[in-house]
Amino acid sequence: AVRLGLGADDIFADCGSGLGKLVVQAVSEFGTRRGCGVEFAASRHQLAVDALAQEAPALADRVTLVEGDCSDAALWVAGGPLDGTTVIFLGSLMFSAELMAVLARRLDECALPLRAVATLKQWDAGDAPSRFREQPSPEHCEASWTAPRTLSDARDTTPVYVYVRDADA
């Protein structure tokens, strides 16, 4: 989150949001204006909705949870749940190459103010969004599947690849 510079002016989205924890964290810990989580699996989406209902209204009112396919064009249009997003996280470990390619197109078609994308799966050079540039080295982060371990070096963390919109795009 530090490398992404999340703050009060941001709208954060998590595609592949699972239980919605990252969206809630972006709003509560980093003070983003709003957060949106998109989860494909109905069971995980429902667990996220149930957990959000336990949060304080001041926080919960700033979070939107959507059950659906994050590559659906309707999510990305003006007035859609991802409209106005400035930073997107892709929980993409299990995303297929085809889904990653569609998401790259969605990112390229997305109007400003989208400025940064963080993803668990690196794009192949030919499939990466053309209006974004990969940062020189991945950020190594603790994840729910690494947290129980002692994080002694990068092998105990999950690489997160950061892509930033080109200044002239």
Side-chain angles (χ1 to χ4, degrees), residues 56-157:
L59 184 145
D61 290 348
R62 294 169 39 210
V63 174
T64 302
L65 297 173
V66 177
E67 180 186 343
D69 181 344
C70 61
S71 69
D72 184 348
L75 298 177
W76 297 83
V77 299
L82 298 177
D83 185 30
T85 297
T86 57
V87 177
I88 292 181
F89 176 78
L90 303 176
S92 55
L93 281 181
M94 301 301 291
F95 289 7
S96 67
E98 293 80 15
L99 177 55
M100 291 296 286
V102 170
L103 289 172
R105 286 195 307 275
R106 296 280 180 256
L107 294 168
D108 279 336
E109 295 164 357
C110 191
L112 291 174
L114 181 62
R115 63 179 178 76
V117 178
T119 177
L120 296 176
K121 183 182 276 188
Q122 187 177 27
W123 272 285
D124 292 331
D127 292 331
S130 62
R131 296 172 59 189
F132 292 79
R133 293 293 165 245
E134 183 177 358
Q135 297 303 285
S137 61
E139 188 74 23
H140 288 272
C141 299
E142 181 180 307
S144 59
W145 52 90
T146 62
R149 298 188 223 153
T150 302
L151 300 177
S152 58
D153 62 38
R155 292 174 297 180
D156 293 332
T157 61

